[in-house]
Amino acid sequence: MSGKPQLSARLATVGFVVLVLDLAVGIGFVLVPLLIVGFLSLLRDVFGVLLLPFSFLLGLAGWSADQKTLHAMQVGFLPDGSTHVLRAGCVVLLLVVSGVCSVLASRRVAQPVSLERWLAPCLTALAAWLGSGSLVPVLLPAFLLQCAALRYPALQRAGAR
C-alpha cells in the first residue's frame, strides 16, 4: 500500500515540474522574438549611420535611383511590427501570475478548492488567447495540467510540506 501514494506523489511532482517548465517555455516563446527584433533594430540604426555618407554622396551626384535602393534596404531590414510590446508584456505577466497561482495552489493542502487553483488555468487560457494562435500549442500542456489539478486536488499534495 505504501507504493501507490508514493507513485502518486512522484507523478504529481513530475507534473508540477512539467507545468513550471512549460510556463517558462511560453514566456521564452513570447520574449525571444522581441529580443531579436530589438537587436535587428539596433543593427539597422548602426547600418543607417554607416550608409549615411554614401547616401549623402549619391544625393550630391544626383543619383536618386541608387539612393532609393539604399533607403529600401534600410527600411526592409526589420520585419513588420506584428508583435506589440504591450501585448507581449501582458502575456508574460499573465503567465507569471498563472505560475505563481499554481505554486500557491500546490502548497495549500487543507483547502480542496482554492481561488488560485481556479485562477491559474483561466490566466493561462487568457495568455494563450492574447499571445496568438502559435502560443496555444506551447501552453496546452500547462493548461491541461492546471485543469487536472482542478479535477484531482490530491495531485497538488506532492508539493505541500
Side-chain angles (χ1 to χ4, degrees), residues 10 23 43 51 70 82 97 101 104 119 123 127-128:
R10 282 188 186 160
L23 290 176
L43 210 56
L51 292 176
L70 280 175
S82 62
V97 172
C101 286
L104 289 176
L119 196 58
L123 291 176

Side-chain angles (χ1 to χ4, degrees), residues 96-157:
V96 167
V97 172
S98 173
V100 168
C101 286
S102 294
V103 169
L104 289 176
S106 71
R107 300 296 179 192
R108 291 190 177 198
V109 179
Q111 296 178 351
V113 177
S114 63
L115 177 67
E116 294 90 5
R117 199 168 288 152
W118 281 101
L119 196 58
C122 295
L123 291 176
T124 303
L126 184 62
W129 178 72
L130 263 179
S132 67
S134 61
L135 193 59
V136 172
V138 174
L139 294 178
L140 188 63
F143 179 74
L144 292 176
L145 285 169
Q146 288 168 340
C147 289
L150 280 173
R151 177 85 174 131
Y152 304 106
L155 287 177
Q156 296 286 342
R157 296 179 187 216

Side-chain angles (χ1 to χ4, degrees), residues 29-53:
F29 196 78
V30 171
L31 288 181
V32 166
L34 289 176
L35 290 173
I36 290 173
V37 167
F39 177 71
L40 288 177
S41 174
L42 180 66
L43 210 56
R44 182 194 65 184
D45 292 342
V46 168
F47 280 135
V49 170
L50 292 175
L51 292 176
L52 189 61

